[in-house]
Amino acid sequence: MNNFTFHSPTESVFGKDTQKQTGKLIKQYGGGKVLVVYGGGSAERSGLIKDVTDALEEENISYAILKGVRPNPTDDKVYEGIALAVREGVNFILAVGGGSVIDTAKAIAMGAVYPGDFWDFFKGSASPVAAIPVGVVLTIPAAGSEGSPNSVITRIDGLHKLSCRCQLTRPRFAILNPELTMTLPWEQTAYGITDMLCHIFERYFSNTTAQLVNAYSEAIMREVMDHALSLKINPEDYEARADVMWAGTLAHNGLCGVGKEEDWATHRMEHEVSAIYDVPHGAGLACIAPAWMTFVARKNPGMVWKFAINVMSVNPEGRDTDHIIEEGIALLKDFYHDLGLTTSLTELIGKEPDIDALVKSLEGNMGKTLGFYVPLSMDDCREIYKLAL
Ligand code: NZQ
Ligand code: ZN
């Protein structure tokens, strides 16, 4: 295990009706004027926005509203939010939604106190030194942004989907009420499950020895897969919703990566797909992850073999490594298919993707090599996109 610092200071407030505590929590973290950010309307329709604004009014907290954040969020909404936050003089930002809303809130939080262009932080030409505090009421367990320091935004001009990591934007609190996720359409639950599993893959597939971390990572992956299938039958199963919601946070708050060299090639390759073709992030991952595993197992089979046995429950007796790995990856694909997802990029996009364009954009955004479990050249990435067709 490598040396590490683990500091994941978000206060998680978990359970039924917890959204009613929003006002008190914002007050506790010094908020007096709040920008409430949300998406395309699901939070209005469910009554959640009313619950949240009632909770603010009870504490005499004034607020402004920014609505209409879209999935795969874009820079235009961030600029709109920065202008509003500055005009209204807000000192706290509340994201009510999923990864897209939270990431937009984080980008506004950095941009509203910066004299330059917030995109400087995403392209890496400047580092944020301040940010307005952010809080979250989560409505979809998926991106893990409620406990992460990351924000992922797409710049419309050029379709660059980039991530900015800034500890200042780690949410002060995250309200996690599993009941709020019962209004999710099934496919969004499925995309979320795919995403949280992949957040663990990015950390699990590593060359660093970390037995304890691997053991609890495997347990989280197995539980999520079990619950995914029971939620498909009964979307209102509170206990399953609760475990999946908590797993989404644990998958991406750093716990599963402590002491390990993390990979992140699958995510980087997927971000090109969702930037150019505007598909849901989790749907893209279901295509890229098995293709990536197939490719890296040829060069470095160890962890893929372990994953096949310990997570996908392949019986190793009397089988050679190649067959164990092959069956493990086939079972992972079956799992995605059982969720109703495709593992073919061509099927997802509705046509064969332009692999040259994907690789060109990937190289422009990330440089000539990607990942650590097996460092990938751009030719390797091209091969993985082909395996995902
Ligand atoms: O916009 P509304 O109407 O709210 O509908 C949303 C949206 O259409 C809907 N939804 C959310 N909660 C709902 C609901 N519908 C009914 N009931 C509810 N309770 O779900 C749709 C998807 O929402 P979105 O926020 O886009 O989903 P997700 O949380 O999967 O976020 C995806 C974004 O996060 C980025 C992804 O790349 C993508 O842009 N990521 C962010 C990360 C981070 N900040 O750490 C890490 C991830 O790897 C990921 O890259
Ligand atoms: Zn992700």
Side-chain angles (χ1 to χ4, degrees):
M1 192 186 274
N2 297 334
N3 291 359
F4 70 85
T5 300
F6 179 64
H7 182 63
S8 187
T10 303
E11 179 174 352
S12 298
V13 180
F14 195 97
K16 295 178 183 174
D17 289 332
T18 42
Q19 69 274 18
K20 295 187 176 151
Q21 298 177 38
T22 311
K24 284 196 173 65
L25 282 160
I26 289 179
K27 220 171 201 180
Q28 183 185 318
Y29 286 98
K33 179 80 195 260
V34 179
L35 180 65
V36 180
V37 183
Y38 60 97
S42 72
E44 268 175 7
R45 288 191 295 279
S46 67
L48 177 60
I49 294 299
K50 173 144 187 4
D51 276 359
V52 165
T53 50
D54 283 353
L56 296 182
E57 284 160 22
E58 259 169 45
E59 297 296 327
N60 296 315
I61 296 171
S62 58
Y63 56 87
I65 282 188
L66 178 74
K67 64 186 275 192
V69 174
R70 42 153 296 175
N72 292 326
T74 44
D75 57 344
D76 52 343
K77 206 44 140 181
V78 178
Y79 289 118
E80 187 186 333
I82 290 172
L84 183 59
V86 170
R87 196 164 66 239
E88 295 284 335
V90 307
N91 67 355
F92 199 93
I93 303 185
L94 180 71
V96 184
S100 298
V101 170
I102 305 168
D103 290 1
T104 300
K106 289 174 174 176
I108 295 168
M110 292 183 277
V113 290
Y114 176 60
D117 181 353
F118 90 92
W119 191 250
D120 293 348
F121 304 137
F122 286 73
K123 66 180 193 212
S125 62
S127 298
V129 291
I132 297 173
V134 174
V136 171
V137 180
L138 188 66
T139 63
I140 171 171
S145 187
E146 70 279 8
S148 86
N150 299 67
S151 165
V152 184
I153 301 292
T154 299
R155 188 157 188 86
I156 296 174
D157 180 13
L159 292 178
H160 299 286
K161 185 173 187 179
L162 294 178
S163 174
C164 169
R165 188 177 170 83
C166 168
Q167 294 298 340
L168 296 165
T169 64
R170 226 184 242 273
R172 298 294 201 274
F173 66 81
I175 290 179
L176 307 164
N177 175 355
E179 286 184 320
L180 298 177
T181 69
M182 289 183 190
T183 53
L184 279 167
W186 168 253
E187 68 275 9
Q188 291 295 344
T189 299
Y191 302 147
I193 281 163
T194 305
D195 193 14
M196 66 181 76
L197 285 172
C198 199
H199 293 158
I200 304 182
F201 296 167
E202 302 286 9
R203 296 164 163 108
Y204 179 79
F205 293 102
S206 165
N207 296 309
T208 323
T209 310
Q211 213 169 314
L212 173 68
V213 183
N214 288 344
Y216 62 66
S217 300
E218 287 167 356
I220 299 170
M221 290 189 272
R222 285 193 304 266
E223 287 303 311
V224 168
M225 286 185 174
D226 270 5
H227 284 316
L229 299 175
S230 42
L231 275 179
K232 198 168 179 211
I233 297 161
N234 178 11
E236 300 205 347
D237 178 341
Y238 179 85
E239 292 304 323
R241 288 277 181 201
D243 274 353
V244 167
M245 193 166 216
W246 187 228
T249 297
L250 296 181
H252 200 37
N253 72 349
L255 190 72
C256 293
V258 289
K260 299 187 75 172
E261 183 177 58
E262 301 182 7
D263 190 79
W264 294 100
T266 306
H267 262 72
R268 302 268 145 72
M269 292 185 68
E270 194 294 317
H271 282 165
E272 298 304 333
V273 177
S274 47
I276 296 177
Y277 296 102
D278 201 13
V279 294
H281 172 59
L285 291 172
C287 304
I288 304 284
W292 176 87
M293 280 184 206
T294 305
F295 184 87
V296 297
R298 294 173 190 159
K299 303 191 176 201
N300 188 0
M303 288 303 288
V304 191
W305 173 84
K306 195 173 158 70
F307 171 79
I309 296 168
N310 291 353
V311 181
M312 301 314 300
S313 306
V314 175
N315 180 357
E317 237 163 82
R319 321 273 298 279
D320 65 27
T321 305
D322 286 353
H323 283 107
I324 292 168
I325 287 173
E326 210 173 285
E327 190 178 338
I329 296 172
L331 287 171
L332 177 66
K333 284 185 171 185
D334 287 350
F335 169 74
Y336 291 144
H337 298 155
D338 287 346
L339 295 185
L341 304 179
T342 178
T343 51
S344 153
L345 279 179
T346 308
E347 199 180 327
L348 177 65
I349 293 162
K351 61 178 182 188
E352 211 169 278
D354 182 344
I355 293 183
D356 287 338
L358 289 169
V359 174
K360 186 166 175 245
S361 180
L362 185 65
E363 183 171 350
N365 288 328
M366 294 298 148
K368 289 201 178 304
T369 55
L370 206 61
F372 293 94
Y373 180 63
V374 172
L376 304 171
S377 67
M378 286 302 121
D379 281 344
D380 295 337
C381 294
R382 181 182 301 278
E383 184 62 27
I384 292 170
Y385 281 131
K386 280 189 191 157
L387 286 168
L389 284 179

